[in-house]
Amino acid sequence: MLISYEPARSLRSSGSNLLTTANSNLKTKGDRACAVRASKLWNDLPEDLRLAKSVSAFKSQLKTHFYRLAFM
């Protein structure tokens, strides 16, 4: 299950649309679980990508992000 990250006090990361990363005890299979891996991948995306206004804008920005990672 993916849970939105809400800090206990006011932090700079409050409005960043981060997900809470689940703790796993298993290094081989536990870190590959959807709840663990998806939240890590989402939190690693740039903030402007996570804050996209629509699904189509997110897809376009994600494609640009992957292109830059691969070719620049």
Side-chain angles (χ1 to χ4, degrees), residues 2-71:
L2 301 174
I3 302 169
S4 178
Y5 172 70
E6 295 294 330
R9 53 194 154 115
S10 180
L11 300 173
R12 285 186 293 177
S13 62
S14 295
S16 298
N17 285 347
L18 295 173
L19 295 175
T20 301
T21 305
N23 294 329
S24 67
N25 295 331
L26 301 174
K27 289 294 177 195
T28 56
K29 295 180 183 174
D31 286 343
R32 294 184 205 153
C34 183
V36 174
R37 196 69 192 139
S39 61
K40 286 182 182 178
L41 289 172
W42 178 260
N43 292 341
D44 289 342
L45 290 175
E47 185 176 4
D48 60 330
L49 187 57
R50 289 191 312 258
L51 298 174
K53 299 288 182 192
S54 66
V55 174
S56 61
F58 174 78
K59 287 180 181 181
S60 175
Q61 291 174 5
L62 183 64
K63 197 171 7 175
T64 303
H65 174 70
F66 285 147
Y67 178 82
R68 287 184 181 147
L69 286 177
F71 299 111

